[in-house]
Amino acid sequence: MSEPLIALSGVTRTFGTGAAAFQALRGVDLTIEEGEFVAIMGPSGSGKSSMMNILGCLDTPSGGSYRFRGLRVEDLNRDQRALLRRHALGFVFQGFNLLARTSAQENVELPLLYRGETVEARHDAARAALAAVGLEGWGHHSPAELSGGQQQRVAIARALVTNPSLLLADEPTGNLDTERSREIIDLLVALNRDKGITVVMVTHESDMAAYARRIVRLVDGKVESDIRNAAPAGVVPGAH
Amino acid sequence: MIWNALLLALREIRRNLMRSFLTILGIVIGVSAVITMVTLGNGATRAVSDQIASLGSNLLIIRPGQHLGPGRDSAGAAAFKVADVEALKTQVSGLAAVVPVTNKSVTLVAMARNWSTGVTGTTSDWFATGKWQIASGRIFNEAEERAGAAACVIGETIRRELFGSQDPLGQQIRVKQFSCEVIGLLASKGQSTMGNDQDDLLVMPLRTVQRRLTGSIDVASLMISVRDDASMDIAKDQVSWLMRERRHIGAGDNDDFSVMDTRQIAETLSGTTKVMTGLLGAVAAVSLLVGGIGIMNIMLVSVTERTREIGIRLAIGALEREVLLQFLIEAVALASLGGIIGILLATLASIGGAALMHVPYLFNPAINLLSFGFSAAIGVVFGYVPARRAARLDPIEALRHA
Ligand SMILES: Nc1ncnc2c1ncn2[C@@H]1O[C@H](COP(=O)(O)OP(=O)(O)OP(=O)(O)O)[C@@H](O)[C@H]1O
Ligand SMILES: [Mg+2]
C-alpha cells in the first residue's frame, strides 16, 4: 500500500515562548488519503487555521511529524517548502486573496508564472481554469469588478490551474451568502469527484460540511471526532 | 525569470504612475544636474582654451608676483616700468613686440549717459598683439603716445552704451577730470571666457593713463610677442633672466614675477574651470544619492503596502529569491528610468545652457554612461534593503496583514 497523501502524527504547534506560550495544536493525529474530501470543523480558536497552515507547508509543526506523500515536511527548508506549494498544493482563503488591480486572468496565471511556463501555456491553462469555475469570458475583469462569489471562483481557478494534488480551503465560503456558498461547495465537490483532487476544507457551517465525505472536529487543538459521511450532500442526484 | 520580474516591475511602475514619477524625481534631477554641470563645465573649459589659443602661440605675458588666476600673490612684488619695456626690446633678441599694459577702473560719461568700465593704457602694438581689428577710425599714433594725448579707441559695448545709434568718432568722453576724443572703434570679439564681455573696454596711450588716471609710472603687466622664427623657450629664458637682473633678484631667490606663455595660461584657466566642474559635479552627485534614498523610502512603503500581495505570492510558491528579485528589479527599473529621463533632460539643458553661456556644447558619452550606470547602481543599493525585507516576510503573517 502506498503512502497516504497526508499523515500527521502527534503534531503540536506552540506560539510564543515562556509564560506567554500558547499551544494551538496539542498532538494532532490525522491521515488523509488521496482523493478524499474532508471538512474540518470546530469552535473558534480550536486550531483549524493553525493546522491548515501546517498542511499547506506555510508553517512547520513545533513537535510531531507531518509527512506529505511520505516526505518529512519539517526537514524541508523554506525554499523547498515553497517548491512543494508551487507544485503540489492549491490554496483558497476566506478573504479570496487575489491581487488587486490585476485582472482575473493574470491572477490565475500567477502560479504558472512562477513555474516558468510559456506565455501561451499560461494563457491557455488560465482560460481553461476560469472556464472550469464558470467564469468564461470574465478574464479581463479585476477583482474589484467581480462579486464575492466570482472572486472566490477566481481564487479557486488560481488554486487548481496547476493541477494540485491537494486543495486546501480555509473557510472558503465564510464571506459569502448561502446561495454563493452553495455554488462554491458544488465546485469543490465537482473538482474532487471529476479530477480526483483531494480537498481539505475548513467550515463553520454544518450544511456545508455535509457535502464532505469525512468530517473532522477539532477542539482545543486536538481531534475530537472523525466521522465518515456515507451519503454526502453533493452526490445526491439533483442536488445541484 | 528575470524577464518575468522585469515585466512585473514595469507593470507595477505603470500602475502607480504618479508615485513612480515622484519617486524617481530625485534621480532625474541628480542625473540631469551631474550631466549638465559636467557638460557645460567642459564647454567652458574648451571655450577658455580656444579663446587663449586664438591669441596665438607666440605670446608671453609677464606679471609681478608668482601666480596667475585666483589667489594671485602679487603683494610686495614691484610693478614694471616703461624702462623695462625698453630694456626687453633692446636686450632680448627675437621679440616682435613688447607691450606694456596698465588698467584702471573708471566711470565714463558721454551724451548724458555714463558707464563703468576698465581703461587699458598701452601702446599701439597692443592692437596687433591682441589680434584686435579696427571697425572704423584709427588707432593712436606714436606722436599721440609720446604726448599722452587724450585720444581713445573704444570697444563695441561702450559705443552701444554711450552713443547708441550715433557715430562715436570725434565725440568726447569724460573720464574723471578730462575728456578724450574717440578716434577709433574696435571690431567686436563678442562675449567669452566665462561670461566676460571682451568688448567692454576703452584703450588709451599708456602715458595718458599714467599721467591722468593712475598718477604713477607703473606698468601692471607686459605682453610680449615672439617672432615666428625665434624659439619660445629661449625667448622666455632670456626674458626671465633679464627681468631677474633688472629686479635685483639674488641667485638663490625665487622670481617675484611670472612669465607665462599662452599655452600655460590656457592650462591655468581651464584648470580653474575644471576644478569648478568637479565641484559642481560632486554637489550634483550628492543630489543623486539623495534621490537614491528617496527610492529606498518609497520602496519600503511599497513593501509594507504590498505585504498581502507578497504573502499571496509566497503562498502560491514564490521562492525567497524570486520575491527579492522582483522588488530589486522594480527599484533598478525605477532608478534606470530616472536615469534615462535625467539624460534626456540634461541634453536639453546642456544645449540651452551652452547657447546662453556662449560655450560650445560638447556631448560627453562617458558622463552620460556613468550617470546612467550610477543611477542603476543606486537602484540596486537602495532597493536591496526593501527587497530583502519583502523576501523574508513570513507568508502567514503577510497574508493576515490587512
Ligand atoms: N501567530 C500566532 N501567534 C500567537 N497565537 C496564535 C497565532 N496564530 C494563532 N494563534 C492562536 O492559536 C489559537 C488557534 O488559532 P487558529 O487560528 O488556528 O484558530 P481557528 O480554529 O482557525 O479559529 P477561527 O475559527 O476563529 O478561525 C488561537 O487561540 C490563536 O489566538
Ligand atoms: Mg481560522
Side-chain angles (χ1 to χ4, degrees):
Chain A
M1 153 146 195
S2 68
E3 294 273 359
L5 184 67
I6 287 170
L8 297 179
S9 64
V11 165
T12 61
R13 180 65 173 100
T14 309
F15 293 109
T17 51
F22 179 81
Q23 222 178 10
L25 297 177
R26 302 161 184 265
V28 174
D29 299 303
L30 184 66
T31 304
I32 297 174
E33 300 291 341
E34 207 105 32
E36 282 198 87
F37 191 127
V38 182
I40 312 282
M41 297 194 70
S44 188
S46 55
K48 305 182 294 296
S49 293
S50 304
M51 189 180 82
M52 289 295 271
N53 287 339
I54 288 174
L55 290 182
C57 304
L58 290 166
D59 197 8
T60 45
S62 308
S65 99
Y66 169 28
R67 284 161 189 269
F68 183 86
R69 284 209 178 104
L71 192 70
R72 288 173 58 91
V73 174
E74 56 271 24
D75 293 346
L76 304 179
N77 66 25
R78 198 178 142 128
D79 275 353
Q80 288 168 322
R81 281 184 279 127
L83 290 173
L84 190 58
R85 290 199 292 277
R86 176 185 297 189
H87 290 287
L89 305 179
F91 289 91
V92 179
F93 305 91
Q94 175 175 2
F96 317 144
N97 277 335
L98 298 175
L99 294 192
R101 291 169 301 170
T102 305
S103 72
Q105 173 84 19
E106 284 173 324
N107 263 292
V108 176
E109 281 184 22
L110 197 61
L112 302 174
L113 197 77
Y114 285 113
R115 283 188 173 200
E117 292 187 14
T118 64
V119 182
E120 298 82 48
R122 290 205 306 262
H123 280 357
D124 294 347
R127 218 170 286 130
L130 280 171
V133 298
L135 285 178
E136 210 158 9
W138 288 83
H140 57 279
H141 288 263
S142 75
E145 300 164 346
L146 297 171
S147 74
Q150 286 172 321
Q151 286 186 54
Q152 194 59 299
R153 280 191 275 162
V154 173
I156 292 173
R158 183 181 65 192
L160 62 87
V161 75
T162 57
N163 280 317
S165 320
L166 174 62
L167 187 67
L168 296 163
D170 195 347
E171 302 192 44
T173 63
N175 281 355
L176 303 175
D177 61 40
T178 318
E179 192 61 30
R180 286 333 113 198
S181 298
R182 186 133 297 142
E183 281 175 24
I184 297 300
I185 297 289
D186 283 341
L187 190 57
L188 294 177
V189 168
L191 285 173
N192 173 254
R193 184 187 55 212
D194 303 338
K195 294 197 167 186
I197 296 175
T198 310
V199 177
V200 178
M201 171 184 79
V202 173
T203 180
H204 274 120
E205 298 148 273
S206 37
D207 48 340
M208 296 300 149
Y211 285 81
R213 273 179 283 171
R214 183 178 169 192
I215 301 175
V216 174
R217 277 193 73 83
L218 281 188
V219 174
D220 281 344
K222 278 190 181 141
V223 177
E224 192 210 46
S225 67
D226 187 346
I227 302 162
R228 304 272 161 179
N229 185 359
V235 285
V236 175
H240 56 275
Chain B
M1 184 58 226
I2 290 196
W3 181 240
N4 281 337
L6 191 63
L7 286 180
L8 274 173
L10 290 179
R11 189 180 297 165
E12 204 53 47
I13 290 169
R14 214 178 40 215
R15 195 170 284 158
N16 284 308
L17 211 53
M18 187 62 190
R19 179 208 275 186
S20 301
F21 175 71
L22 291 175
T23 305
I24 61 176
L25 200 58
I27 297 268
V28 170
I29 292 172
V31 165
S32 51
V34 169
I35 297 179
T36 308
M37 291 303 162
V38 171
T39 305
L40 290 182
N42 287 345
T45 307
R46 167 71 66 86
V48 169
S49 33
D50 280 358
Q51 196 195 347
I52 305 279
S54 76
L55 290 176
S57 56
N58 60 343
L59 214 59
L60 292 178
I61 290 175
I62 314 180
R63 289 168 179 274
Q66 256 307 305
H67 307 286
L68 183 90
R72 190 168 83 224
D73 172 29
S74 57
F80 302 114
K81 307 285 183 224
V82 176
D84 292 323
V85 178
E86 296 312 317
L88 284 165
K89 274 184 180 167
T90 52
Q91 293 175 44
V92 178
S93 58
L95 302 188
V98 180
V99 183
V101 178
T102 280
N103 298 97
K104 178 82 181 162
S105 296
V106 293
T107 300
L108 309 178
V109 184
M111 329 262 320
R113 280 186 258 199
N114 54 50
W115 183 249
S116 294
T117 188
V119 167
T120 300
T122 187
T123 59
S124 53
D125 285 337
W126 180 87
F127 297 95
T129 308
K131 302 232 157 70
W132 285 96
Q133 306 283 331
I134 290 293
S136 63
R138 60 177 181 87
I139 63 176
F140 37 81
N141 55 37
E142 228 168 293
E144 286 165 325
E145 272 180 47
R146 264 201 308 275
C152 57
V153 178
I154 61 172
E156 172 61 23
T157 302
I158 292 185
R159 183 200 63 73
R160 191 181 64 236
E161 295 297 334
L162 290 184
F163 300 105
S165 56
Q166 275 181 292
D167 182 6
L169 291 184
Q171 302 276 6
Q172 297 287 321
I173 298 179
R174 269 202 84 73
V175 186
K176 285 204 166 170
Q177 263 66 269
F178 73 104
S179 289
C180 67
E181 185 193 344
V182 179
I183 58 167
L185 177 68
L186 292 169
S188 171
K189 273 197 181 182
Q191 199 183 48
S192 193
T193 325
M194 303 176 283
N196 277 0
D197 180 0
Q198 301 185 85
D199 297 324
D200 187 6
L201 83 176
L202 181 142
V203 189
M204 276 191 238
L206 176 67
R207 181 162 291 180
T208 317
V209 173
Q210 288 177 331
R211 276 200 196 144
R212 309 217 192 193
L213 292 175
T214 64
S216 83
I217 55 163
D218 287 352
V219 171
S221 64
L222 302 176
M223 234 178 4
I224 299 176
S225 80
V226 178
R227 281 213 312 264
D228 288 343
D229 57 358
S231 153
M232 276 296 272
D233 291 336
I234 292 174
K236 210 169 149 183
D237 284 349
Q238 289 190 356
V239 166
S240 291
W241 179 82
L242 179 64
M243 292 309 290
R244 283 179 71 87
E245 194 186 72
R246 291 184 60 79
R247 292 164 81 87
H248 311 294
I249 296 170
D253 294 343
N254 289 327
D255 292 353
D256 66 348
F257 60 93
S258 62
V259 183
M260 300 189 98
D261 58 41
T262 37
R263 189 178 44 80
Q264 279 175 303
I265 294 169
E267 271 167 18
T268 311
L269 285 179
S270 59
T272 314
T273 58
K274 269 180 196 151
V275 169
M276 288 302 290
T277 306
L279 279 175
L280 289 172
V283 169
V286 170
S287 71
L288 199 52
L289 265 176
V290 174
I293 294 169
I295 287 205
M296 176 147 87
N297 183 22
I298 295 292
M299 290 300 293
L300 282 172
V301 171
S302 167
V303 167
T304 310
E305 233 181 48
R306 287 156 67 190
T307 299
R308 201 182 177 83
E309 173 200 326
I310 296 162
I312 294 169
R313 291 180 186 279
L314 289 170
I316 275 172
L319 300 179
E320 213 172 298
R321 63 167 178 275
E322 289 168 333
V323 174
L324 182 96
L325 203 64
Q326 181 195 335
F327 278 82
L328 205 54
I329 286 184
E330 201 173 308
V332 173
L334 269 174
S336 309
L337 195 69
I340 291 172
I341 297 176
I343 285 176
L344 295 178
L345 224 69
T347 307
L348 292 179
S350 304
I351 291 175
L356 272 174
M357 285 169 61
H358 302 281
V359 300
Y361 167 70
L362 305 172
F363 179 73
N364 185 337
I367 193 68
N368 279 277
L369 276 176
L370 200 74
S371 302
F372 179 74
F374 196 63
S375 56
I378 275 180
V380 175
V381 171
F382 290 96
Y384 184 75
V385 171
R388 202 190 48 186
R389 177 176 290 187
R392 296 248 174 108
L393 282 177
D394 174 42
I396 302 167
E397 293 294 324
L399 280 173
R400 199 175 287 156
H401 195 271

